[in-house]
Amino acid sequence: LDLKKFDNHKPVKFEKPKRAVILWNHRWEYDKNPEQFFNALFELDEHGIDFRLVVFGESYKKHPAVFDVAKTKLADKILHFGYADNFDEYAKWLWAADMLPVTSVQDFFGASIIEAMYCNVVSLLPERLAYLEHIPEQFHSTFFYHERNFIIKRQRRIMDVSYLRVMNTRQYAMKYDWSNMIARSDESMDMVVNQTAV
């Protein structure tokens, strides 16, 4: 991934909202499990927990209905909802976001998650799929969940911007930047060449 390009789009002067900004930056598809994501936010709202919301993605004619419900039900919390017109806009909102609760039931890697982590967005990840490889095992208890109502159980800590905004998730994403992957790719190619030569 070309993650360092996000650095060129980091706002020089940008004051984050006072409330935690929750992010969705995945496809609007059923395999990303948007129902669990938005139902958790509806429950937070019902408990009187204030937050802000940034939702990226293209709204095709056929998409999960919960997106339309959320756009109405959480209207007073929405900072952005829908497609980003350009990369600068996308990057700007990633830098503004605080938390990315991931609910996907199918994902081969999670490039959008790594992009968010690079911009220091704290990801709450399910204990499955490829996500376990992204975070060192000693920190799994901080970033992974297995409860159904994962946001409600962690609401006090994860809505505390003084806690969220000092975490360094960028360090876990950096290993996937192309500048760091070059050496690994070269080593793999050398191994193939050396084995073929023998």
Side-chain angles (χ1 to χ4, degrees):
L1 299 173
D2 183 8
L3 296 171
K4 289 183 179 178
K5 66 182 179 182
F6 282 92
D7 295 336
N8 299 326
H9 299 270
K10 185 176 183 179
V12 178
K13 291 183 179 179
F14 183 78
E15 192 171 329
K16 286 194 174 191
K18 292 180 180 178
R19 304 298 180 188
V21 179
I22 298 175
L23 174 69
W24 170 283
N25 65 334
H26 320 296
R27 291 181 284 107
W28 291 19
E29 301 286 352
Y30 291 97
D31 64 336
K32 300 304 178 188
N33 198 7
E35 287 79 11
Q36 184 184 4
F37 175 86
F38 285 115
N39 284 338
L41 299 193
F42 297 155
E43 196 169 344
L44 279 180
D45 191 36
E46 288 165 8
H47 279 71
I49 307 299
D50 198 10
F51 58 89
R52 297 296 175 263
L53 179 62
V54 171
V55 177
F56 281 114
E58 208 162 348
S59 55
Y60 297 105
K61 286 184 180 178
K62 188 175 181 181
H63 58 262
V66 71
F67 283 94
D68 299 322
V69 174
K71 191 172 184 179
T72 301
K73 203 166 182 178
L74 302 174
D76 61 328
K77 303 182 183 311
I78 293 171
L79 300 175
H80 176 90
F81 202 97
Y83 192 70
D85 292 329
N86 51 58
F87 182 80
D88 184 64
E89 183 181 15
Y90 175 66
K92 179 190 80 170
W93 284 116
L94 257 61
W95 286 114
D98 294 300
M99 179 174 41
L100 175 69
V102 177
T103 51
S104 302
V105 294
Q106 190 275 339
D107 204 341
F108 292 112
F109 176 70
S112 61
I113 296 165
I114 298 301
E115 290 175 345
M117 287 172 61
Y118 184 83
C119 296
N120 275 328
V121 181
V122 177
S123 297
L124 287 178
L125 303 163
E127 292 179 310
R128 56 176 180 261
L129 308 174
Y131 308 139
L132 292 163
E133 301 170 18
H134 299 332
I135 307 282
E137 191 172 350
Q138 64 265 35
F139 302 116
H140 280 193
S141 62
T142 300
F143 297 97
F144 288 91
Y145 69 87
H146 58 270
E147 311 95 351
R148 185 172 181 83
N149 54 345
F150 62 104
I151 290 185
I152 294 299
K153 288 190 175 181
R154 295 189 181 192
Q155 65 182 358
R156 288 180 183 170
R157 188 175 72 173
I158 65 177
M159 289 306 184
D160 180 359
V161 292
S162 63
Y163 167 78
L164 291 170
R165 293 176 183 173
V166 296
M167 294 190 70
N168 177 13
T169 61
R170 179 190 183 105
Q171 62 184 316
Y172 308 126
M174 268 304 298
K175 64 183 176 183
Y176 297 116
D177 185 75
W178 179 241
S179 62
N180 295 319
M181 295 297 291
I182 290 172
R184 291 173 60 184
S185 297
D186 286 347
E187 286 174 15
S188 298
M189 290 301 292
D190 288 343
M191 285 176 59
V192 171
V193 170
N194 291 335
Q195 287 176 355
T196 306
V198 174

